[in-house]
Structures are given as C-alpha cells and as structure tokens.
Amino acid sequence: MTLLEPFARAGRDLWSPAGRSILSRSLGLSAAAFVLVAVAVQYGIGHLTAGWAGWVQTLLDVLGGFATLVLVWMLFPAVA
C-alpha cells in the first residue's frame, strides 16, 4: 500500500452521501458562526459609539470592520 492510496480512499469517502452531509453541515455552521461574530462586533461598535461625532463613528466602524476580519481570520482554524 502506497502513501497515496489512503488519500484517494478519503477523497472517495468525502463525496459519499454521508461525507457530503457532514461537509455541508460543517461549512454551514462555520459560515453561520462567522456571520454571528461579524454582526455582534458591528452591533457592539455601533452601540458604543452612538453618541459620538459622525467622523469618529465612521472611523471606528471602518476599523471595527478590519478588526472583525482579523478576528474571523484568527478564529477560522478553531471554528472550521
């Protein structure tokens, strides 16, 4: 048995009905978790800066968007 045979077998098993079900469920839950994190961070930033000047609020919204991307990037291995 060569090293490539187990990889080929795993690839075939991934596209079986049971493998597709697990793969689609995990991708869906990962996407939902990332969307939930992004919405929560944007809501929190918007809620904290509600009474501030317009340009400060806009600046913090943009920086918060970048912070959300960094957070999602760092959490991707744990969630996926």
Side-chain angles (χ1 to χ4, degrees), residues 13-55:
D13 288 344
L14 182 64
W15 297 113
S16 69
R20 280 192 312 241
S21 171
I22 292 170
L23 182 64
S24 64
R25 195 173 337 145
S26 66
L27 288 175
L29 289 174
S30 296
F34 290 139
V35 168
L36 183 66
V37 166
V39 168
V41 168
Q42 289 300 104
Y43 175 77
I45 290 171
H47 202 64
L48 287 174
T49 62
W52 294 14
W55 68 271

